[in-house]
Amino acid sequence: MKALQVTRLSDDLSGAELVELPSPARGAGEVLIRVHAASLNYPDLLMTRGEYQFRPELPFVSGLEMAGEVIKADPGSGFAPGDRVMGGAKTGAFADHISLPTTAIRSIPRNLDFAQAAAMGTAYLTAYIALVELGGLKAGQSVLIHGASGGVGLAACDLAKTLGAKVIAATSREDKIEPLRRIAAPHGIILNTGRFREDVDLLTDSRLCDLVFDPVGGDVFDESTRCVSFGGKLLVIGFVSGRIPEIAVNLPLIKGFSVIGVRAGEYTRRFPDRGHHATGAIDQLATEGRIKPHIDRILPLSDWRTAFDAMSAGDVLGKIVLTP
């Protein structure tokens, strides 16, 4: 099979290449899947550099998540050849075939095609765990979403708006304002460079935000501490900016807000019942046509470098999907 294999960690993707490998052997309790689509996530890029918290042993096949068709499954597993499934693990999705435990896959909602299913899983799970499970999102609340043009950011915009929140989308690039307005249709859009607290103040009639969703970190996090309402929550998703910020604890004390770290995958591993509830809720919303991932582009796996370079440069609106 064709697979994108990382044999050496590097800053310029020189340690990754498309190679021919034997198809994976299906282990006990696993399902062998023909991959039809796999989406690119920021951790995929970080893992090629050794900069992600999970560091797979070299060599490894890149790719967090995919959607495809079951080839082989154990009788009684709940899956059969021909079933359309989505899911993944920390590696292995950028290939023709993948073998995964039954616990790592689920059926594709009927309203989604393979590309949409591949693009939905990680992004919407992260958004749901952050906003609903940990953030306690309620209809009518104001939510500030940083990195709103990325896959996770757009998923958070889509989910929050669907659940009745007032969404303020934030981006660091002026050229993304109009596309964001068209794709996400938020209640407001701001540039999150410099002092943006005043913009948030105007959009919320000085009430500020009940939830701040921050996958950026750095200066954006620092200014976001001024944008959280009393009793609100600042949700830490990641540090795309490259700087891990620090906070003086007198700020959340005086302003009465919480800082909450979000690791959606770890949350669902530690609390599998809550994880099943979250994926069930997401799938139901997708089946009803109330949420749908935005795909920036679909590229052949052979053009993986274009996808990774676009991710590195931030030239993506939503998700990039690779097809074997």
Side-chain angles (χ1 to χ4, degrees):
M1 68 173 186
K2 297 189 301 295
L4 180 60
Q5 186 179 57
V6 179
T7 58
R8 177 173 52 84
L9 302 178
S10 64
D11 293 333
D12 60 359
L13 300 173
S14 60
E17 62 178 330
L18 195 62
V19 299
E20 289 285 340
L21 295 175
S23 292
R26 187 177 70 88
E30 291 188 342
V31 176
L32 182 63
I33 301 161
R34 177 177 293 107
V35 177
H36 285 273
S39 72
L40 179 63
N41 291 278
Y42 198 67
D44 295 321
L45 175 64
L46 293 181
M47 276 190 266
T48 68
R49 304 169 178 170
E51 295 176 355
Y52 192 55
Q53 57 258 34
F54 171 67
R55 297 191 177 190
E57 183 179 347
L58 294 169
F60 65 90
V61 174
S62 182
L64 281 172
E65 62 182 337
M66 58 85 233
E69 183 181 352
V70 172
I71 299 173
K72 292 181 181 179
D74 291 333
S77 66
F79 298 99
D83 286 351
R84 299 189 329 135
V85 295
M86 59 188 286
K90 295 176 180 177
T91 60
F94 295 147
D96 290 333
H97 303 121
I98 189 171
S99 188
L100 292 170
T102 56
T103 54
I105 60 173
R106 65 187 196 268
S107 297
I108 295 175
R110 63 175 180 269
N111 284 354
L112 302 181
D113 59 26
F114 285 117
Q116 291 166 336
M120 190 179 79
T122 298
Y124 278 84
L125 181 63
T126 299
Y128 193 95
I129 296 299
L131 296 173
V132 180
E133 288 286 318
L134 299 177
L137 177 67
K138 296 179 178 63
Q141 290 185 322
S142 293
V143 181
L144 173 60
I145 298 172
H146 294 295
S149 63
V152 173
L154 269 179
C157 289
D158 189 19
L159 183 64
K161 187 176 177 184
T162 296
L163 297 179
K166 179 178 180 178
V167 173
I168 301 172
T171 177
S172 62
R173 289 174 45 167
E174 290 190 20
D175 64 327
K176 290 189 175 181
I177 290 177
E178 286 308 314
L180 260 178
R181 197 184 311 280
R182 183 181 71 255
I183 296 166
H187 296 83
I189 299 178
I190 65 169
L191 281 172
N192 56 5
T193 53
R195 295 292 187 179
F196 52 82
R197 193 259 193 197
E198 289 75 13
D199 296 325
V200 172
D201 192 69
L202 287 172
L203 288 168
T204 60
D205 296 324
S206 300
R207 290 190 296 269
L208 301 179
C209 291
D210 301 286
L211 299 175
V212 176
F213 182 94
D214 179 22
V216 179
D219 295 344
V220 165
F221 175 92
D222 295 342
E223 182 68 2
S224 290
T225 62
R226 305 176 66 231
C227 300
V228 191
S229 63
F230 193 90
K233 297 174 182 178
L234 203 171
L235 303 163
V236 180
I237 314 300
F239 316 105
V240 174
S241 70
R243 178 171 73 84
I244 298 175
E246 298 179 354
I247 185 170
V249 293
N250 65 312
L251 280 175
L253 171 64
I254 293 169
K255 295 195 64 181
F257 69 85
S258 303
V259 179
I260 301 176
V262 179
R263 291 182 63 197
E266 186 63 20
Y267 183 91
T268 58
R269 281 187 287 274
R270 288 178 179 266
F271 309 110
D273 289 346
R274 299 308 305 163
H276 291 145
H277 171 79
T279 54
I282 292 165
D283 289 352
Q284 184 62 36
L285 290 171
T287 298
E288 295 170 358
R290 297 175 62 192
I291 59 173
K292 184 173 289 186
H294 178 77
I295 296 175
D296 181 281
R297 70 197 88 167
I298 299 175
L299 297 171
L301 183 58
S302 59
D303 204 10
W304 66 270
R305 186 176 289 276
T306 297
F308 276 72
D309 285 343
M311 173 75 74
S312 182
D315 294 332
V316 181
L317 281 162
K319 298 295 289 287
I320 297 178
V321 172
L322 298 174
T323 57

